[in-house]
Amino acid sequence: MPPPALVIDIGNSRIKWGRLDEGGRLVGSMATTIGDQASWGMILDRLAMGGILEVSVASVNPPAAERLGETLRGRGIGPIRWYRSAADVPVRHGLEAPGRTGADRALAVLAAVSGKGHSGPGIVVQCGTAITVERIGPDGGWQGGAIGIGLSLASRALHAGTAQLPDFASLLSEIEPPAWGASTRPAMTAGIVWGAVGTIRELIARLSEGTDPPPWVVWTGGDASGLAPLVGGRLTEVEPDLVLIGLSIARTTPVTSR
Ligand SMILES: Nc1ncnc2c1ncn2[C@@H]1O[C@H](COP(=O)(O)OP(=O)(O)OP(=O)(O)O)[C@@H](O)[C@H]1O
Ligand SMILES: CC(C)(CO)[C@@H](O)C(=O)NCCC(=O)O
């Protein structure tokens, strides 16, 4: 049996860290904000307890990946398997430029198809810094998707591009957002959250066109558990660790098998 291993997903807002057991199953995960480099050593010491290990790292953020690579090498952790684009991921696809397509998108699709065992047409929605909606065809092949703006980034963009709009750290709460606001905060919450809901609904409808049976839908990303119930629709499956699960599958599947 292989020794326990680490899986790490470097996004644009956060890094997701996971540990695999001897059978390659994800047995623990956590997330830190991208700027919190001071905690990396402590996290690695904790995750690597009991001896490590091989590490699989997915990145859509090359500068952060460079820094993490230095930290891992400095602590003698390795070998490191890198997933820097969809070209490194053993997923069947019809992409034009897999080398320039996000590894996180490919790994989420791989996990939904191979890990969750979905077959036939499907959709994967990631609600992170960006919102991505992927189309999986009737033959299980990934056909590409759509990339839109995520909730936090939309708030930051409105703040950066205007003189008077603030930036809100957190837009989702237990309470359903208002449809409109009588002051700036609820007005921005309404525009950003319901705007994202409308975007995702429209994309799911368009990506479902001509599919029979209707597609399965799997969600992931920091805002998925908040946005999925607002979007509604048929069975809503949210898997926060989809990309880490994708890494756990990719490390034992040769890229040539796609
Ligand atoms: N503790 C948290 N810190 C930062 N963002 C969080 C947190 N909890 C939830 N979020 C939400 O998660 C979103 C970011 O999602 P996520 O962490 O999946 O993105 P990411 O790190 O950029 O990953 P990717 O680039 O793979 O989408 C933000 O829009 C934010 O609202
Ligand atoms: C779209 C994001 C930001 C989602 O995390 C990431 O997958 C990325 O930077 N992708 C590169 C471009 C592409 O996937 O087409």
Side-chain angles (χ1 to χ4, degrees):
M1 265 196 186
L6 293 187
V7 282
I8 304 173
D9 167 27
I10 310 176
N12 286 293
S13 305
R14 294 192 295 164
I15 301 185
K16 278 71 78 181
W17 312 76
R19 183 183 167 91
L20 307 182
D21 67 11
E22 287 83 353
R25 281 174 303 270
L26 188 67
V27 286
S29 67
M30 59 179 295
T32 54
T33 52
I34 200 78
D36 186 16
Q37 194 168 337
S39 69
W40 291 0
M42 195 190 65
I43 289 166
L44 287 169
D45 288 344
R46 195 185 319 157
L47 289 172
M49 231 162 37
I52 295 279
L53 336 148
E54 173 201 300
V55 190
S56 294
V57 187
S59 167
V60 294
N61 186 340
E66 182 65 34
R67 295 197 300 275
L68 182 69
E70 279 165 23
T71 303
L72 290 169
R73 285 188 293 273
R75 299 181 98 79
I77 297 176
I80 310 172
R81 219 184 286 251
W82 289 98
Y83 297 85
R84 293 187 167 94
S85 74
D88 298 327
V89 178
V91 67
R92 211 149 43 80
H93 64 75
L95 300 173
E96 277 176 22
R100 293 197 298 277
T101 304
D104 57 350
R105 299 175 59 195
L107 288 159
V109 171
L110 176 68
V113 173
S114 302
K116 299 275 165 193
H118 287 296
S119 59
I123 289 177
V124 175
V125 184
Q126 288 203 61
C127 307
T129 310
I131 290 175
T132 56
V133 185
E134 312 297 344
R135 187 178 204 265
I136 293 93
D139 66 350
W142 175 30
Q143 299 176 331
I147 303 173
I149 189 162
L151 298 184
S152 298
L153 187 56
S155 171
R156 226 179 310 148
L158 283 170
H159 174 60
T162 63
Q164 302 204 107
L165 292 181
D167 178 17
F168 294 119
S170 152
L171 287 147
L172 289 170
S173 71
E174 300 295 305
I175 306 154
E176 188 164 297
W180 74 92
S183 64
T184 309
R185 184 177 180 123
M188 281 178 70
T189 303
I192 294 171
V193 175
W194 290 118
V197 168
T199 299
I200 296 168
R201 270 197 198 136
E202 181 69 18
L203 288 169
I204 290 178
R206 285 176 180 265
L207 270 58
S208 302
E209 266 168 30
T211 56
D212 183 27
W216 46 265
V217 183
V218 178
W219 295 69
T220 193
D223 293 320
S225 60
L227 283 174
L230 299 176
V231 169
R234 295 177 318 109
L235 294 179
T236 297
E237 184 181 352
V238 180
E239 172 50 73
D241 292 324
L242 202 61
V243 176
L244 295 181
I245 293 169
L247 280 171
S248 76
I249 298 167
R251 63 191 273 279
T252 56
T253 315
V255 83
T256 48
S257 73
R258 66 172 176 239

